[in-house]
Amino acid sequence: MINEGLSRLKAMGGQGCALVGDTNYYRQFGFRKFPELVHEGVPPEVFLALPFNEKIPEGVVVFHEGFRATS
């Protein structure tokens, strides 16, 4: 399922993928930590990224507004 999602992101022209998760698990898909890329309020040890090109990701990541929805 993860590989399918990454394939779809690439097909849509995405430059990469960032997520919050277990480093040991997501490493098998190529995700790793990039000190230049942060998500405020998220511990850096669980914030990972997978660039789809050679460019090193940097900056501050903000999740889509939909992730802030509450019931």
Side-chain angles (χ1 to χ4, degrees), residues 15 32-37 49 51 53-59:
Q15 299 298 303
R32 59 189 178 107
K33 299 174 209 168
F34 290 90
E36 305 87 351
L37 188 67
N53 53 39
E54 298 298 319
K55 186 176 178 186
I56 301 296
E58 61 180 289

Side-chain angles (χ1 to χ4, degrees), residues 3-65:
N3 287 327
E4 177 65 23
L6 293 172
S7 292
R8 289 181 184 207
L9 280 174
K10 288 178 187 178
M12 292 170 39
Q15 299 298 303
C17 181
L19 57 78
V20 176
D22 183 327
T23 304
N24 294 322
Y25 178 75
Y26 287 103
R27 185 180 305 133
Q28 67 184 308
F29 300 101
F31 284 88
R32 59 189 178 107
K33 299 174 209 168
F34 290 90
E36 305 87 351
L37 188 67
V38 297
H39 188 312
E40 294 177 359
V42 175
E45 61 271 12
V46 296
F47 186 60
L48 311 168
L50 173 63
F52 296 154
N53 53 39
E54 298 298 319
K55 186 176 178 186
I56 301 296
E58 61 180 289
V60 178
V61 173
V62 181
F63 285 129
H64 186 275
E65 185 68 31

